[in-house]
């Protein structure tokens, strides 16, 4: 490979990080007078194009250099197209569902706040736990991917780069919070788009395809796995995106609903194109003979096997692109984790400096776990299965006609969905141990059987069945108690809206307040959150 020299590799890596650090600290200095509310969120401040760049930067991450080329080598063009569309199209949900959530919860900035308002504290804390676990897993996956990529591209130990990235993003995120993350993501998102275009051109010019391999590799046809992924991936990624607080913070940050729809639409198209182009490197690796190689290598490193045939300057571009992808995704996850914790656990009453300290403290467990977690795909799949169990029973409450749906059903349904996966796995494999392993998807997603497909059917369907079972149980118990105690049965009464004391947290804003889209006068939601 035209691998950059030791000196050149170090210069590219650390100069790029240095540039991001200087930029982030400089922006934080410019916004040093911002309020605690602006540190945690930026509601109704952003126009469509900056939103689009932010959604692009937050939706990617360096892990795409492993996962999308891998699916190309396993399920071919069919699998790649399905994966790219399944990853990009869910962004439209924020454009069309976001205005509904913002109307129901105008003072919030994360989904868990609406959950607290709609389902009560217990359900909100349950969702908050799942959200923060998901964010933690994504941060772990990002650092794990970065370490492996730096090692593959340069031959260097990837650990120093991981440490430097943690230090850089922690410094400017702790100084500026979500607003700084938003601005730096604009820069990094634009860089990623530009570098992807440049990389595609260079790979297209420098790569020589062996036409005899195009048909012999059988990557152009359909496969059983390809058809299964048409169901699995949309369910997994769509539901999991609900747990990514960074997406919701950007949804609430849009100045108007129109800006939100335009921004997410642009991001959807851009992300679909970028992921398809990145994943196509797996096809090119197979068609140039770089993959599987001798001895045969895993499809997850197909992208890097392709780079073996390209000049060193191309690898240099990819290194800068990798750092931009990783930094943009990681600082978004950091700010989302802290904002979610501050809102859900402390109701935004923590001192400013304690919030900044939290940004620093969460890095240590993330970095430690990342060094022991080589499988990026499995990390994503575990969180996908959890979300597939929990989100279907959660979104029922978005309909005002389902005012009778309570937090009890959400919690029981979410946990029941996971239990259903275990039951399915035990029946499918014939023993409880393999059933438990299926909950962790230890066999990966790409297996030649129906286990993964069945798991992603069992999770949402089982969650809904357990949810409705919990509803029937709750109503039956409440009706029985009403009869025993001689009280009126009120299990189907529409709950009263909360009064103003329900809402907490400061609402001070900057001088651009008058330019934002006015919030509906009917600020109080139609339903007060109830767990039972």
């Amino acid at each position: 490979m035209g691998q950059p020299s030791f000196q050149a590799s170090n210069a590219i890596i650390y100069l790029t990080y240095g540039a991001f650090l200087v930029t982030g600290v400089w922006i934080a200095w410019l916004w040093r007078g911002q309020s605690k509310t602006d540190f945690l969120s930026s509601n109704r401040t952003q126009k469509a194009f900056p939103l689009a760049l932010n959604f692009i930067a937050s939706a990617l991450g360096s892990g795409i250099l492993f996962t999308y080329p891998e699916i190309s080598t396993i399920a071919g063009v069919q699998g790649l197209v399905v994966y790219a569309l399944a990853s990009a199209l869910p962004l439209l949900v924020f454009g069309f569902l976001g205005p509904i959530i913002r109307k129901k919860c105008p003072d919030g900035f994360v989904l868990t706040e609406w959950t607290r308002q709609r389902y009560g504290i217990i359900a909100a804390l349950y969702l908050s736990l799942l959200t923060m676990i998901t964010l933690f897993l994504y941060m772990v996956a990002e650092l794990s991917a970065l370490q492996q990529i730096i090692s593959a591209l340069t031959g260097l130990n990837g650990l120093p780069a991981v440490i430097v990235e943690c230090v850089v993003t922690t410094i400017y995120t702790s100084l500026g919070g979500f607003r700084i993350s938003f601005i730096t993501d604009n820069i990094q998102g634009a860089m990623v788009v530009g570098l992807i275009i440049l990389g595609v051109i260079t790979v297209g010019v420098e790569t020589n395809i062996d036409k005899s391999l195009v048909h012999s590799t059988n990557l152009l046809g359909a496969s059983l796995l390809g058809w299964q992924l048409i169901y699995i991936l949309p369910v997994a990624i769509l539901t999991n995106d609900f747990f990514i607080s960074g997406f919701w913070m950007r949804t609430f940050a849009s100045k108007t609903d129109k800006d939100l729809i335009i921004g997410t639409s642009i991001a959807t198209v851009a992300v679909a194109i970028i992921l398809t182009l990145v994943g196509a490197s797996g096809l090119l690796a197979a068609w140039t003979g770089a993959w599987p190689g001798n001895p045969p290598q895993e499809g997850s490193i197909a992208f890097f096997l392709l780079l073996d045939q390209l000049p060193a300057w191309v690898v240099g571009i990819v290194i800068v692109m990798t750092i931009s992808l990783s930094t943009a995704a990681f600082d978004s996850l950091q700010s989302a984790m802290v904002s979610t914790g501050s809102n859900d656990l402390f109701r935004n009453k923590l001192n400013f400096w304690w919030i900044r300290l939290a940004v620093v403290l969460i890095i240590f467990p993330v970095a430690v776990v990342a060094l022991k977690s080589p499988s990026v795909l499995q990390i994503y799949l575990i969180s996908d299965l959890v979300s597939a169990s929990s989100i279907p029973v959660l979104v029922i409450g978005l309909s005002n006609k389902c005012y009778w749906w309570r937090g009890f059903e959400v919690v029981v349904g979410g946990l029941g969905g996971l239990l259903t996966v275990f039951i399915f796995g035990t029946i499918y494999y014939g023993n409880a141990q393999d059933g438990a392993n299926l909950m962790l998807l230890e066999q990966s997603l790409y297996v030649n059987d129906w286990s993964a497909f069945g798991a992603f059917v069992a999770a949402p369907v089982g969650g809904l069945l357990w949810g409705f079972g919990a509803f029937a149980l709750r109503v039956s118990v409440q009706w029985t108690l009403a009869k025993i105690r001689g009280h009126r049965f009120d299990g189907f009464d529409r709950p009263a809206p909360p009064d103003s004391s329900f809402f907490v947290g400061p609402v001070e804003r900057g001088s651009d307040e008058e330019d934002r889209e006015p919030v509906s006068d009917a600020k109080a939601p139609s339903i007060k959150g109830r767990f039972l």
Side-chain angles (χ1 to χ4, degrees):
M1 167 168 72
Q3 194 175 75
S5 66
F6 175 84
Q7 294 81 2
S9 297
N10 279 292
I12 293 170
I13 292 170
Y14 299 113
L15 285 176
T16 303
Y17 278 126
F20 287 149
L21 176 61
V22 171
T23 302
V25 171
W26 176 65
I27 297 171
W29 173 258
L30 294 179
W31 290 96
R32 62 190 180 278
Q34 67 176 334
S35 67
K36 182 171 69 174
T37 299
D38 285 323
F39 184 93
L40 296 171
S41 64
S42 294
N43 285 13
R44 298 185 179 272
T45 61
Q46 304 298 327
K47 298 292 287 183
F49 190 65
L51 278 174
L53 289 175
N54 257 256
F55 272 103
I56 292 171
S58 300
L60 300 177
S62 60
I64 66 173
L65 302 183
F66 287 112
T67 53
Y68 291 85
E70 180 180 21
I71 190 63
S72 295
T73 63
I74 297 174
V77 174
Q78 181 190 32
L80 172 59
V81 171
V82 171
Y83 202 174
L85 292 178
S87 300
L89 291 176
L91 295 179
L92 292 174
V93 172
F94 296 96
F96 294 96
L97 197 58
I100 299 174
I101 299 288
R102 295 207 303 175
K103 184 176 181 180
K104 291 177 178 292
C105 187
D107 294 324
F109 54 85
V110 285
L111 182 65
T112 46
E113 182 63 21
W114 169 77
T115 306
R116 180 187 179 95
Q117 173 185 293
R118 175 61 180 82
Y119 293 116
I121 295 175
I122 296 177
L125 291 177
Y126 162 76
L127 183 66
S128 180
L129 175 64
L130 297 182
T131 296
M132 288 192 283
I133 290 175
T134 298
L135 294 174
F136 180 86
L137 291 175
Y138 269 64
M139 293 171 75
V140 167
E142 188 55 51
L143 294 184
S144 178
L146 175 67
Q147 181 184 17
Q148 296 175 66
I149 291 171
I150 294 298
S151 297
L153 292 177
T154 66
L156 303 175
N157 183 356
L159 178 59
V162 168
I163 295 173
V164 171
E165 177 163 311
C166 290
V167 171
V168 168
T169 58
T170 299
I171 289 174
Y172 68 69
T173 303
S174 64
L175 292 175
F178 174 71
R179 186 182 289 271
I180 305 307
S181 173
F182 194 99
I183 298 173
T184 55
D185 278 4
N186 285 339
I187 300 170
Q188 292 154 348
M191 285 182 61
V192 167
V193 173
L195 289 168
I196 286 287
I197 294 173
L198 182 59
V200 168
I201 294 173
T202 55
V203 170
V205 171
E206 298 289 340
T207 300
N208 296 311
I209 295 177
D210 184 346
K211 294 183 180 179
S212 65
L213 293 175
V214 173
H215 295 288
S216 64
T217 52
N218 297 319
L219 296 177
L220 295 178
S223 64
L224 173 62
L225 176 60
W227 291 116
Q228 289 177 339
L229 293 179
I230 292 177
Y231 168 79
I232 294 174
L233 291 176
V235 170
I237 297 173
L238 173 61
T239 57
N240 196 247
D241 280 355
F242 277 76
F243 282 162
I244 308 301
S245 296
F247 286 148
W248 289 108
M249 292 166 69
R250 284 155 178 79
T251 297
F252 279 93
S254 62
K255 183 171 286 189
T256 67
D257 292 343
K258 181 179 178 181
D259 287 316
L260 179 58
I261 293 173
I262 294 174
T264 52
S265 299
I266 295 173
T268 297
V269 174
V271 168
I273 294 173
I274 290 172
L275 294 180
T276 302
L277 293 174
V278 170
S281 63
L283 301 174
L284 293 177
W287 294 339
T288 58
W291 178 86
N294 188 20
Q297 302 292 321
E298 294 183 0
S300 59
I301 63 169
F303 177 81
F304 307 101
L305 294 175
L306 178 65
L307 289 183
D308 279 344
Q309 303 180 350
L310 302 179
W313 63 270
V314 178
V315 179
I317 292 174
V318 174
I319 292 173
V320 177
M321 181 187 73
T322 299
I323 294 173
S324 301
L325 283 168
S326 185
T327 307
F330 195 72
D331 67 21
S332 297
L333 294 168
Q334 275 183 294
S335 63
M337 174 77 87
V338 172
S339 294
T340 300
S342 173
N343 182 80
D344 298 351
L345 303 181
F346 302 101
R347 307 304 293 146
N348 300 324
K349 293 179 179 179
L350 277 180
N351 178 275
F352 218 155
W353 290 103
W354 283 111
I355 296 174
R356 285 174 166 157
L357 179 62
V359 177
V360 177
L361 293 179
I362 62 174
I363 284 300
F364 295 101
V366 169
V368 170
V369 176
L371 299 179
K372 301 179 181 294
S373 303
S375 177
V376 176
L377 179 61
Q378 187 178 4
I379 294 172
Y380 290 144
L381 291 177
I382 293 172
S383 62
D384 288 344
L385 203 57
V386 173
S387 63
S389 301
S390 303
I391 295 303
V393 289
L394 179 78
V395 297
I396 290 176
L398 284 173
S399 172
N400 288 333
K401 295 181 180 179
C402 296
Y403 60 87
W404 37 265
W405 194 253
R406 305 285 166 79
F408 179 70
E409 286 89 274
V410 172
V411 174
V412 173
L415 297 176
L418 293 176
L419 178 59
T420 305
V421 174
F422 169 73
I423 294 172
F424 164 77
T426 300
I427 296 173
Y428 184 83
Y429 289 114
N431 65 86
Q433 180 62 51
D434 287 338
N437 290 339
L438 183 60
M439 296 176 66
L440 301 176
L441 290 169
E442 291 195 350
Q443 299 295 323
S444 184
L445 185 64
Y446 311 135
V447 290
N448 293 319
D449 60 26
W450 291 90
S451 59
F453 183 88
F456 278 98
V457 171
V461 173
L464 289 170
L465 291 176
W466 279 92
F468 280 101
F471 166 74
L473 175 63
R474 175 181 60 81
V475 170
S476 298
V477 171
Q478 290 177 332
W479 183 84
T480 302
L481 291 176
K483 290 297 183 181
I484 294 173
R485 297 172 181 175
H487 297 163
R488 175 180 171 274
F489 172 65
D490 60 357
F492 292 112
D493 287 359
R494 184 183 293 271
D499 56 30
S500 58
S501 64
F502 174 86
F503 302 99
V504 298
V507 293
E508 69 270 16
R509 289 291 183 187
S511 60
D512 61 341
E513 178 74 30
E514 64 274 7
D515 297 328
R516 302 179 191 171
E517 181 187 60
V519 181
S520 169
D521 292 334
K523 280 200 170 188
S526 58
I527 299 172
K528 182 177 181 179
R530 288 179 60 179
F531 183 74
L532 293 172

